[in-house]
Amino acid sequence: MSLVNLTTAQVSIIIPTLNEAGNIKGAIASTQSSANIEVIVVDGGSSDDTVNIAQSLGAKVIFSSPGRAVQMNAGAAVASGDVLLFLHADTRLPLGFDAMIRTVLQQPKTVAGAFNLQIDHPGLGLRLVELGVKWRSHFLQMPYGDQAIFLTQKVFQQIGGFPELPIMEDFELIRRLKSTGNIVIINTPVITSARRWLQKGVIQTTLLNQIIVIAYLFGVSPVRIRSWYRRERFRKN
């Protein structure tokens, strides 16, 4: 797949942020036990202390227009690592993630990978969500962005990076990757915040997510889908 020695390749961890002062410290802290990494925080215009916190923890901070896809592409453009890992600010990496990633990317015909998902809340409904994510990821090879997608810089450039859509950028990236090779899911989970499920409710959030995927597959504009998502997400019960 590449002439790069992946057993020792540097991993560039790219974290898009927008007002994530409450989460960014934990995200960066989860990277610190690993070797030969760099952390790049791409801020989309935070008005809180996100940037100051990230800089105080030694992360490289750059700025871009808001939008997760735009921000992640901006981070990849300045990354010095041969391996890219895209991490949401409310997600925590497991110990030894770097070694796991390097091992996976050395497997024949593998172009990318991600982790299983653990949601940081004891609710039974969220255990069912985790099972659904595990099934989708392993059997359909369709991990989403909160599972910490990783791939080599070479493959990322070959597929043109994240499509700069207002929503579904991770879904479309994975669809492109599936056409080029295997996507491996690491059994060890990342831990992500339950905030988006708790805000609206587990059932409502799960249904909304499925409606969004179906709408996208049927050709509904990502701009229109994004407006639906925002309206439903923030509508008061």
Side-chain angles (χ1 to χ4, degrees):
M1 184 174 61
S2 171
L3 295 177
V4 172
N5 182 358
L6 291 175
T7 62
T8 58
Q10 184 182 49
V11 179
S12 294
I13 301 163
I14 299 163
I15 310 175
T17 58
L18 182 62
N19 295 325
E20 291 286 1
N23 287 306
I24 191 62
K25 182 177 181 179
I28 294 174
S30 73
T31 73
Q32 297 304 291
S33 63
S34 298
N36 198 18
I37 64 166
E38 69 171 347
V39 178
I40 302 170
V41 171
V42 188
D43 193 72
S46 294
S47 58
D48 62 9
D49 286 333
T50 299
V51 169
N52 290 335
I53 294 169
Q55 290 174 332
S56 73
L57 295 171
K60 178 177 183 178
V61 178
I62 66 170
F63 302 91
S64 83
S65 301
R68 189 170 274 161
V70 174
Q71 290 171 245
M72 291 188 292
N73 284 340
V78 303
S80 58
D82 292 306
V83 175
L84 305 176
L85 167 63
F86 297 96
L87 180 66
H88 289 186
D90 62 354
T91 298
R92 310 291 176 256
L93 293 166
L95 289 173
F97 71 89
D98 52 330
M100 298 178 207
I101 287 171
R102 294 185 184 102
T103 298
V104 163
L105 290 177
Q106 292 176 80
Q107 296 179 15
K109 299 183 180 180
T110 295
V111 295
F115 295 80
N116 272 338
L117 187 71
Q118 179 180 334
I119 303 170
D120 189 17
H121 191 275
L124 176 61
L126 293 173
R127 300 293 78 76
L128 297 176
V129 171
E130 292 171 354
L131 286 174
V133 170
K134 188 171 186 178
W135 182 88
R136 184 196 71 221
S137 301
H138 284 270
F139 293 103
L140 300 181
Q141 291 191 49
M142 283 297 298
Y144 291 171
D146 53 7
Q147 293 173 254
I149 296 168
F150 57 85
L151 69 173
T152 64
Q153 177 81 262
K154 180 180 178 181
V155 169
F156 187 76
Q157 292 174 357
Q158 285 173 343
I159 65 170
F162 280 96
E164 294 192 349
L165 305 173
I167 197 168
M168 303 294 290
E169 74 287 334
D170 51 352
F171 185 89
E172 185 59 36
L173 178 86
I174 293 298
R175 288 179 77 191
R176 294 179 184 182
L177 286 167
K178 282 180 65 177
S179 69
T180 65
N182 296 330
I183 299 170
V184 173
I185 308 301
I186 295 173
N187 283 324
T188 304
V190 293
I191 300 174
T192 197
S193 168
R195 60 180 177 174
R196 62 191 173 100
W197 287 280
L198 298 179
Q199 184 178 48
K200 188 67 179 176
V202 175
I203 294 175
Q204 295 94 323
T205 301
T206 302
L207 287 175
L208 176 61
N209 289 343
Q210 296 311 307
I211 290 169
I212 285 171
V213 170
I214 292 168
Y216 182 76
L217 292 173
F218 274 88
V220 177
S221 163
V223 174
R224 177 171 293 181
I225 295 172
R226 179 64 170 171
S227 70
W228 293 348
Y229 181 77
R230 283 180 167 171
R231 185 167 59 247
E232 289 299 322
R233 184 180 176 191
F234 296 110
R235 180 181 293 168
K236 293 183 179 180
N237 292 323

